[in-house]
């Protein structure tokens, strides 16, 4: 089971912590606990929500009362001589001054304004809006990659981008090179880059490999997720994998100005070279807001439709 992360903060010192959690039985349990730099805390959101968390057996319980509930006992308070510069101690995890933070950080908290951008790392999430809280619903999405080498019997590598418009049950609408516009008008894919060598979006001159226009206002009420995915076309017959592609990225822009506001560059080391497709990120409706989360997870699939099926649960 892949790890997820929960953000917590100390109400006494103001410090933030990342709790690594894994699904054990029917519950998510904490398996590691590290301090979170303030710069990361500003753009990090908890990935799992449940009524309470306990630590797994790999972490020692509170040495005084045996408690395993995060933020669940008062006897741990002050044991480490709390201060902003204190050395990390595991018993902080049980102190009742530690609180789980389920809020989604707004882009404005990181100074996102027109003409500036926020760069995400894998797993990080931000609200899609301007720093002055002006709604940002008309989005221009750029996706890019660089092919390294092509198979001996092939002179092209066709990497295709797509949008999966979905709900929490995995009911998907796929917008891709053979169906370029959603019936609602919420997403439209532009020119299909067939070689991977030259950027094929000349009508916009963006430097991206492929572009997608998204209107979040038009997303149907029964859909609340837009996954952005890429896959190698005819990967099986051409024996091509992600080992021959690098530098995947996605950027979200204000459609009017094409100014990049949110960017995520996939770390090549996080990609399995034998895989053939990647779920780069997801825009998700949360109440009246839309957020964007960097995912960067690769899969071994035959085509975009199969990759779309892998999206459910990745948010």
């Amino acid at each position: 089971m892949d790890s997820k992360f929960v953000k917590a903060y100390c109400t006494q010192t103001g410090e933030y912590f990342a709790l690594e959690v894994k699904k054990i039985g029917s519950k998510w349990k904490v398996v590691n606990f590290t301090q979170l730099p303030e710069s990361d805390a500003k753009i990090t959101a908890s990935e799992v929500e449940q009524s309470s968390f306990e630590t797994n057996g790999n972490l020692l319980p509170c040495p005084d009362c045996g408690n395993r509930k995060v933020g669940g006992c008062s006897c741990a308070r002050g044991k480490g001589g709390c201060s902003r510069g204190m050395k990390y101690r595991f018993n902080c995890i049980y102190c009742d001054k530690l609180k789980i933070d389920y809020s989604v950080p707004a882009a404005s908290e990181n100074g996102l304004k027109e003409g500036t951008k926020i760069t995400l790392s894998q797993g990080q999430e931000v609200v899609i809006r301007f720093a002055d809280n002006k709604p940002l619903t008309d989005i221009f999405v750029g996706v890019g990659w660089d092919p390294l080498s092509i198979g001996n019997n092939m002179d092209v590598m066709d990497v295709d981008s797509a949008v999966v418009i979905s709900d929490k049950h995995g009911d998907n609408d796929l917008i891709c090179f053979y169906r370029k516009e959603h019936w609602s008008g919420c997403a439209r894919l532009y020119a299909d880059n067939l070689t991977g060598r030259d950027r094929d979006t000349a009508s916009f001159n963006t430097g991206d490999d492929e572009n997608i226009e998204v209107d979040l206002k038009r997303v149907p009420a029964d859909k609340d997720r837009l996954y952005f995915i890429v896959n190698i076309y005819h990967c099986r017959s051409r024996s091509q994998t992600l080992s021959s592609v690098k530098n995947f990225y996605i950027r979200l822009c204000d459609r009017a100005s094409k100014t990049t506001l949110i960017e995520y560059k996939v770390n090549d080391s996080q990609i399995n070279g034998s895989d053939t497709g990647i779920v780069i990120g997801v825009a998700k409706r949360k109440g009246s807001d839309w957020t964007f989360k960097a995912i960067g997870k690769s899969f071994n699939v035959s085509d975009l439709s199969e990759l779309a099926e892998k999206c459910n649960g990745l948010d």
Side-chain angles (χ1 to χ4, degrees):
M1 172 62 69
D2 292 338
S3 296
K4 292 185 179 292
F5 290 87
V6 174
K7 184 169 70 172
Y9 70 99
C10 174
T11 58
Q12 182 163 310
T13 67
E15 293 176 312
Y16 280 86
F17 298 88
L19 283 60
E20 181 183 0
V21 297
K22 289 190 176 182
K23 193 72 170 289
I24 300 173
S26 61
K27 295 286 188 180
W28 290 90
K29 292 193 174 183
V30 179
V31 297
N32 199 8
F33 176 72
T34 60
Q35 192 166 341
L36 193 62
E38 187 173 354
S39 58
D40 289 343
K42 287 181 177 180
I43 56 173
T44 300
S46 294
E47 298 179 285
V48 176
E49 184 170 352
Q50 60 185 29
S51 58
S52 63
F53 290 90
E54 292 187 352
T55 57
N56 191 30
N58 65 314
L59 294 183
L60 294 175
C62 172
D64 292 332
C65 69
N67 170 70
R68 283 196 174 275
K69 183 178 178 182
V70 174
C73 64
S74 59
C75 58
R77 188 191 308 166
K79 291 289 183 179
C82 293
S83 69
R84 178 165 289 277
M86 68 179 288
K87 186 177 180 180
Y88 161 69
R89 291 171 60 94
F90 271 103
N91 60 358
C92 288
I93 199 171
Y94 304 116
C95 175
D96 63 2
K97 292 294 186 182
L98 188 72
K99 306 296 181 184
I100 304 296
D101 184 353
Y102 291 120
S103 65
V104 176
S108 59
E109 293 175 1
N110 202 56
L112 180 59
K113 299 179 181 178
E114 292 189 66
T116 67
K117 69 179 177 180
I118 181 172
T119 300
L120 299 180
S121 298
Q122 186 181 45
Q124 293 180 331
E125 182 178 23
V126 291
V127 173
I128 303 172
R129 65 182 182 219
F130 292 108
D132 58 2
N133 289 327
K134 184 179 74 173
L136 176 59
T137 56
D138 292 337
I139 301 170
F140 186 82
V141 178
V143 183
W145 52 82
D146 293 318
L148 288 177
S149 60
I150 309 300
N152 293 332
N153 62 335
M154 294 291 166
D155 59 0
V156 296
M157 172 170 278
D158 183 3
V159 180
D160 293 316
S161 65
V163 185
V164 183
I165 303 167
S166 183
D167 61 20
K168 63 181 180 181
H169 304 296
D171 184 11
N172 297 331
D173 295 338
L174 179 62
I175 303 305
C176 58
F177 63 89
Y178 58 81
R179 188 187 299 114
K180 292 188 176 182
E181 186 167 0
H182 192 256
W183 62 265
S184 68
C186 72
R188 180 164 65 141
L189 178 68
Y190 282 92
D192 180 20
N193 186 335
L194 299 177
T195 68
R197 291 196 174 107
D198 298 313
R199 304 298 165 106
D200 192 17
T201 51
S203 58
F204 296 104
N205 193 28
T206 61
D208 305 313
D209 281 293
E210 295 185 0
N211 292 115
I212 305 155
E213 281 193 354
V214 174
D215 187 344
L216 296 175
K217 300 187 300 299
R218 293 190 174 188
V219 177
D222 63 337
K223 305 292 186 183
D224 61 1
R225 295 159 169 82
L226 281 75
Y227 295 94
F228 299 92
I229 64 176
V230 291
N231 191 73
I232 301 173
Y233 183 64
H234 283 328
C235 55
R236 298 282 192 257
S237 61
R238 294 175 176 176
S239 299
Q240 294 175 344
T241 68
L242 295 178
S243 62
S244 296
V245 195
K246 66 175 183 177
N247 299 334
F248 283 97
Y249 72 83
I250 185 170
R251 62 190 190 95
L252 276 63
C253 311
D254 167 27
R255 188 164 69 174
S257 66
K258 304 295 188 297
T259 301
T260 301
L261 300 176
I262 301 171
E263 183 177 65
Y264 168 49
K265 296 181 179 179
V266 180
N267 187 331
D268 292 335
S269 66
Q270 295 170 337
I271 299 174
N272 186 334
S274 64
D275 287 343
T276 56
I278 302 177
V279 180
I280 298 184
V282 60
K284 183 177 179 182
R285 181 164 27 213
K286 292 189 175 181
S288 60
D289 289 324
W290 281 87
T291 67
F292 179 78
K293 181 178 179 180
I295 295 178
K297 185 171 179 60
S298 64
F299 294 91
N300 193 318
V301 293
S302 59
D303 54 32
L304 287 168
S305 295
E306 188 177 346
L307 182 57
E309 296 174 0
K310 299 291 186 181
C311 292
N312 191 33
L314 288 182
D315 52 284

